[in-house]
């Protein structure tokens, strides 16, 4: 279940650090958070979709790794990302 192109572009524009930034940790976290929300909604309707559940766990793990990276290298950016997405840490 990939994101729509327009939604992904708006997420990138909202969270990028500079004009050509498409892959920084904050952008990746924003995209992953959106995909996690999408898959979570899917799993609420389709409880037995174990393949989607496995994909969800992988996305959550990847987002956690990116958050740890941000926390170690850019603590202020880390706090901004947590507040922007409503994540708890």
């Amino acid at each position: 279940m990939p994101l729509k192109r327009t939604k992904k572009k708006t997420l990138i524009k909202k969270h990028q650090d500079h004009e050509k930034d498409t892959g920084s940790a904050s952008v990746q976290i924003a995209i992953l958070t959106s995909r996690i929300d999408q898959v979570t909604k899917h799993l609420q309707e389709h409880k037995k979709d174990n393949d989607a559940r496995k994909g969800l766990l992988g996305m959550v793990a990847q987002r956690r790794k990116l958050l740890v990276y941000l926390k170690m290298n850019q603590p202020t950016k880390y706090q901004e990302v947590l507040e922007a997405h409503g994540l708890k840490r």
Side-chain angles (χ1 to χ4, degrees), residues 1-8 11 30-32 34-35 38:
M1 288 178 257
L3 291 176
K4 291 186 179 179
R5 207 176 274 176
T6 54
K7 183 168 184 168
K8 191 171 182 179
L11 283 172
I31 292 170
L32 280 170
S34 180
R35 287 188 63 208
Q38 189 179 33

Side-chain angles (χ1 to χ4, degrees), residues 32 36 40 55-65 67:
L32 280 170
I36 287 169
T40 302
L56 175 66
L57 291 174
M59 286 186 277
V60 170
Q62 181 66 33
R63 182 177 69 180
R64 185 176 57 236
K65 289 177 191 176
L67 285 168

